Amino acid sequence: MNDSIWYVIGVSVIGLIAAAWARFRIRQMPAGDEKMLSIARAIEEGSLAYLKRQYKVVSIVAIIIAALLFYYFGTNTALGFVIGALASALAGYLGMMTAVMSNVRVAQAAKSGLSKAFHAAYLGGSVTGFLVVSLGLLVVGAFWIYTKDLAALLGLGFGGSLISVFSRLGGGIYTKGADVGADLVGKVEVGIPEDDPRNPAVIADNVGDNVGDCAGMAADLFETYAVTLIAAMLLGSLIYPGVGAAITYPIFLAAAGLVASLVGTLFVRAHVKEKIMAGLYKGLIAAGIISIILFWPVTNAFVKENQIPGDSLKLFASALIGLALTLSMVIITEYYTSKKFRPVKNIAKASTSGHGTNIIMGLAVSLEATVLPIIAIALGTYFAWLLFGLYGIAIAATAMLSLTGIIVAIDSFGPITDNAGGIAEMAGLSADVRSITDPLDAVGNTTKAITKGYAIASAGLAALVLFGAYVEEIRVHGEALTFEINDPLVLVGLFLGGMLPYLFGALSMLAVGKAAGSIVGEVRRQFREKKIMEGIDKPDYARAVDIVTKAALREMILPALLPIAVTILVAIIFGLKALGGLLIGVIITGLFQAIAMTSGGAAWDNAKKYIEEGNYGGKGSPAHQAAVTGDTVGDPYKDTAGPAINPMIKVVNIVALLLVGILL
C-alpha cells in the first residue's frame, strides 16, 4: 500500500491548487480607494516587519535544536525538524499574507452588500485553510515516502510544534498588547470608538489580528494536524509491528477529509445578517457528511485488503466518533461564546452592576465552559478505546483533524472581517458599510473561539495518543514500566506536569501585561504631547508598532522554552516514570486551562459587542465601560495564553518521546 501514498500526495497538491485559485480570485476583487489602500498597506507592512523579526529570533533557537537532534538522532530526524519548522512558518506566513490582502477587499465588497462581503471573507479564509492542511499532508506523506523513518517524523512534528508555540505566543502577545493598550486609552480614557484613526495604537491593533489570529493560528493548526497524523502513524507501528497499513491508514483518512472539505466549501453562503453563522455551518455539515461517505470504503479497504487486525465496522465507528467530537465542540463553543445564548447575555447583564461583577460573571462562565467539552472528550476517548483500543483513539483524533481545512477557513474569516471593519472605520466609510462589517466581525469572534476549542480538544486526543506511544515505545525497548498513582515518582511527575500549564499561562499573561503597559504609556504620551484630538497633529502609528513588536519578541522567549526545559529536567532528575506522570499532568490541567481561557475570553468579547448593539445602555454607558474592562481581561485569555497551551502540551509529549531513545 506504500506506493499508493502517491495518491495522498496528489490530493494534497489538489488542495494547494485550490488555495492558489482562491487567492487569485481574491486578488481580482476591487480593493477600494487610495485612503483604504494606504491603511491596508500600513497594516501589511507592520505585519511583515513583525513576522520577519520573529522568524529571525526563532531561527536561532531552531538551529541550536536542529544541531542537537543531529548529534543525538542523526540526519533524518534533524532534517525532519527543519522541514516541520519551515512548513509551519510557511503556513503562518502565507495565511497572514492572504488575510492582509483580503481585508481591504472585504471592506470594499461591503459597499455592495452582505453577500459579497461574506463571500470575499470566506474565500480569503479558505486559502489559509487549504494551505494548512495541504502542506501538512504533503510534508508528512512525502517525508514518510523519503525516509520510512518514524523517529524522523517525530522530528518533523517537533519542528512544527516549536514554531507553533513561538507563533502563538509572539503573535498573541503582540495582538493583545496592542489591543489592550488601544482599548484602555482610546475607549476608556479618551472615549473614542474602536478603530478610530486618531488612536496611535490602531494600526498596531490591526497588525496584531494578522500576526496572532492568522499567522499564529495557521502555524498552530498545521502543527496540530501534522502531529496528530504522526502520532497515529507511530502508534500504529508500535501496536501492529510489521503491518504497514496501520501506519498509512491515518494519512488516507486525512486525505479523504481534505477532499470532503474542498467539496463542502461549495455549500458555504449567506445573504442576511441573521444567517451568517448558518451559512458557514452549511459547508461544515456538508464536509462532515461527505467525510462519512468517504471514510467507509477507505477503512474497509485497509482492514480487509491490507489486514489491519480487527473489524472494519468498529474502526469506521472510531472515525465517526472523531467527527462527532468535532460537531460537539462546535456546538458547545458557539453556545458559550455567541451573543445569542445565556452565557454571553449573563456577562452583559452583570456589566450593569459594574466592573467587578462583569469580571466575576466572566470567570464563572470560563470555568463552566470546561464541563461539556471535557465530558465529550472523555466519552469519545472511552468509546473509541472500547471499539478499537488505543489505535481507535488515534483514529478518532485523526478523523477529528480531517476537517481542519474547512474549520480553519471558518476561523480565518474572523480576523479578515475584524480588519475589514477597522479599515472601514479608519477610512471613514458610511454607516451602511459598518452595519455589514460589524455583524461579520461578531460572528468572526465566535468562529475564532470555535477553532481554538476544536484545536484544543484535538490536541487533548493527540496528546493521549502520544502518551500511548510513549508507553509503547518504552515497552519496545524492553522495559515494562507501570504508572501507578501510589508511586512517588509518578506523583512527582503528575504534580510538576499539572503545574506547567499554570506557570506557562502566568508567564504568557504577564508578557501581555508588560507589552500592553508599554503601548499604554506611548498612546498616553502621544495624546498628551500632540494635538491629535483637535485634528492638528497625526498619530505616530509606526512608533506604536515598533514598541509592541520589541515587547512581544522579548517576552515570548521564556515561556516558549519553558516546556522543553522542564521536560528534559524531569527526565534527567527523576527518570521515565516521573516523565510519564508529567505527560498526564500536562494533558489534564492543560486541557482545562486552555478551554476555560479561550471560551471565557470570547464570551467577554461578545458581551461587550452585545452591549454595543444598544443593549443595557449601548456604547459609552457604565455597562459598556465595565464590558470593556472584561474584554481587556479576556483578550490575553483567548488570544495568547489559552491557544498557546495547545502546542505546548504536544511539545512536552514529543520531547518525552525523543528522550526515550536516549535514556534507555
Side-chain angles (χ1 to χ4, degrees):
M1 198 74 186
N2 283 333
D3 290 341
S4 61
I5 293 180
W6 286 106
Y7 290 110
V8 173
I9 302 299
V11 170
S12 67
V13 171
I14 291 171
L16 290 173
I17 292 171
W21 174 79
R23 198 173 194 278
F24 172 77
R25 286 189 61 195
I26 294 164
R27 186 172 285 280
Q28 302 308 304
M29 294 179 179
D33 56 37
E34 182 54 36
K35 188 173 183 180
M36 294 169 66
L37 286 170
S38 66
I39 295 166
R41 279 194 293 268
I43 295 171
E44 180 180 356
E45 288 167 7
S47 302
L48 269 176
Y50 171 78
L51 214 57
K52 286 178 181 177
R53 288 164 74 171
Q54 176 180 272
Y55 287 159
K56 283 180 182 177
V57 173
V58 176
S59 64
I60 297 170
V61 178
I63 289 169
I64 294 169
I65 293 175
L68 291 171
L69 290 173
F70 175 75
Y71 178 79
Y72 284 106
F73 300 100
T75 303
N76 282 348
T77 302
L79 179 63
F81 174 83
V82 172
I83 290 173
L86 289 175
S88 182
L90 183 63
Y93 171 79
L94 293 175
M96 187 195 76
M97 291 307 297
T98 301
V100 298
M101 181 181 71
S102 303
N103 53 22
V104 70
R105 287 164 172 80
V106 173
Q108 177 65 21
K111 296 178 181 178
S112 302
L114 177 77
S115 181
K116 286 189 176 181
F118 174 90
H119 173 70
Y122 179 77
L123 196 62
S126 69
V127 175
T128 306
F130 297 128
L131 273 174
V132 165
V133 175
S134 302
L135 273 175
L137 197 59
L138 179 65
V139 297
V140 172
F143 199 64
W144 171 249
I145 290 173
Y146 172 69
T147 64
K148 297 293 191 298
D149 185 347
L150 287 164
L153 276 178
L154 269 181
L156 191 151
F158 186 24
S161 294
L162 183 76
I163 295 298
S164 176
V165 169
F166 274 107
S167 295
R168 270 300 193 189
L169 270 174
I173 293 166
Y174 186 110
T175 184
K176 293 305 109 180
D179 194 5
V180 169
D183 281 357
L184 283 179
V185 183
K187 284 185 176 181
V188 178
E189 295 181 9
V190 182
I192 56 178
E194 186 172 359
D195 296 319
D196 192 298
R198 292 170 293 181
N199 193 326
V202 70
I203 295 294
D205 186 10
N206 282 278
V207 168
D209 290 330
N210 292 301
V211 300
D213 288 330
C214 292
M217 179 277 304
D220 182 2
L221 265 296
F222 169 87
E223 172 276 331
T224 299
Y225 185 80
V227 167
T228 302
L229 286 180
I230 292 165
M233 293 169 71
L234 177 60
L235 198 63
S237 73
L238 294 170
I239 295 176
Y240 305 111
V243 182
I247 299 173
T248 54
Y249 171 59
I251 301 179
F252 279 82
L253 211 59
L258 174 54
V259 172
S261 292
L262 287 167
V263 177
T265 293
L266 302 176
F267 292 84
V268 174
R269 57 179 56 86
H271 301 285
V272 293
K273 294 175 186 177
E274 292 74 20
K275 299 288 181 68
I276 296 171
M277 203 73 210
L280 295 169
Y281 281 163
K282 286 177 185 176
L284 182 59
I285 292 168
I289 293 170
I290 296 165
S291 292
I292 294 171
I293 295 169
L294 295 177
F295 281 0
W296 171 246
V298 171
T299 303
N300 200 41
F302 271 83
V303 173
K304 294 287 177 66
E305 297 173 20
N306 295 279
Q307 299 170 347
I308 295 177
D311 186 338
S312 56
L313 191 60
K314 288 184 177 180
L315 191 58
F316 174 66
S318 298
L320 294 188
I321 286 173
L323 294 178
L325 273 174
T326 297
L327 179 63
S328 65
M329 290 306 300
V330 168
I331 293 171
I332 293 166
T333 307
E334 184 184 1
Y335 173 73
Y336 277 101
T337 60
S338 173
K339 293 180 296 182
K340 297 183 292 185
F341 301 112
R342 172 188 62 84
V344 168
K345 289 183 177 180
N346 281 356
I347 297 173
K349 185 177 180 181
S351 303
T352 60
S353 304
H355 299 254
T357 47
N358 171 282
I359 299 298
I360 291 168
M361 183 60 71
L363 287 172
V365 166
S366 70
L367 295 173
E368 181 192 320
T370 63
V371 176
L372 292 178
I374 294 298
I375 290 173
I377 293 168
L379 291 176
T381 302
Y382 178 67
F383 286 115
W385 178 80
L386 280 182
L387 286 165
F388 224 86
L390 196 53
Y391 192 65
I393 298 174
I395 295 309
T398 303
M400 187 175 185
L401 264 297
S402 69
L403 295 180
T404 296
I406 195 162
I407 292 281
V408 173
I410 291 171
D411 175 281
S412 296
F413 176 92
I416 290 172
T417 55
D418 192 352
N419 265 204
I423 291 170
E425 180 72 30
M426 286 183 277
L429 301 185
S430 68
D432 290 341
V433 173
R434 285 310 302 254
S435 71
I436 289 172
T437 58
D438 283 351
L440 289 173
D441 181 21
V443 168
N445 270 337
T446 300
T447 65
K448 288 186 285 186
I450 285 171
T451 304
K452 286 162 189 166
Y454 167 78
I456 291 161
S458 59
L461 283 182
L464 286 173
V465 174
L466 286 168
F467 176 75
Y470 172 79
V471 175
E472 289 293 323
E473 185 77 13
I474 292 171
R475 182 185 59 79
V476 167
H477 278 79
E479 298 287 334
L481 294 184
T482 55
F483 298 93
E484 297 177 346
I485 196 69
N486 60 353
D487 188 325
L489 284 174
V490 175
L491 275 175
V492 166
L494 282 169
F495 281 125
L496 292 176
M499 167 211 73
L500 193 52
Y502 284 89
L503 179 56
F504 181 86
L507 291 173
S508 303
M509 295 286 284
L510 284 170
V512 172
K514 291 177 182 177
S518 64
I519 202 71
V520 164
E522 172 60 21
V523 174
R524 283 174 176 165
R525 182 195 67 79
Q526 290 198 35
F527 275 124
R528 185 174 61 250
E529 297 178 5
K530 294 172 174 278
K531 296 181 179 179
I532 295 172
M533 295 301 292
E534 293 84 352
I536 298 172
D537 296 325
K538 290 186 176 181
D540 187 349
Y541 300 128
R543 181 166 172 77
V545 168
D546 185 61
I547 286 173
V548 76
T549 296
K550 289 177 179 176
L553 294 176
R554 182 177 63 249
E555 299 297 336
M556 74 178 181
I557 301 295
L558 177 59
L561 295 180
L562 176 71
I564 299 173
V566 170
T567 306
I568 293 172
L569 286 173
V570 168
I572 292 172
I573 297 170
F574 298 107
L576 292 176
K577 278 192 175 183
L579 190 55
L582 179 86
L583 301 187
I584 291 297
V586 165
I587 293 168
I588 296 300
T589 64
L591 271 177
F592 278 93
Q593 277 276 80
I595 293 171
M597 286 178 163
T598 53
S599 294
W604 258 313
D605 194 348
N606 272 341
K608 178 196 69 176
K609 285 183 166 54
Y610 182 74
I611 292 173
E612 287 175 347
E613 290 177 350
N615 300 292
Y616 300 116
K619 290 182 180 180
S621 66
H624 182 239
Q625 291 176 1
V628 170
T629 300
D631 182 35
T632 303
V633 176
D635 271 343
Y637 255 44
K638 69 181 173 67
D639 289 326
T640 308
I645 288 173
N646 168 25
M648 185 273 286
I649 293 171
K650 295 194 289 299
V651 164
V652 171
N653 280 268
I654 290 173
V655 172
L657 265 170
L658 290 169
L659 288 171
V660 171
I662 296 175
L663 295 175
L664 290 178

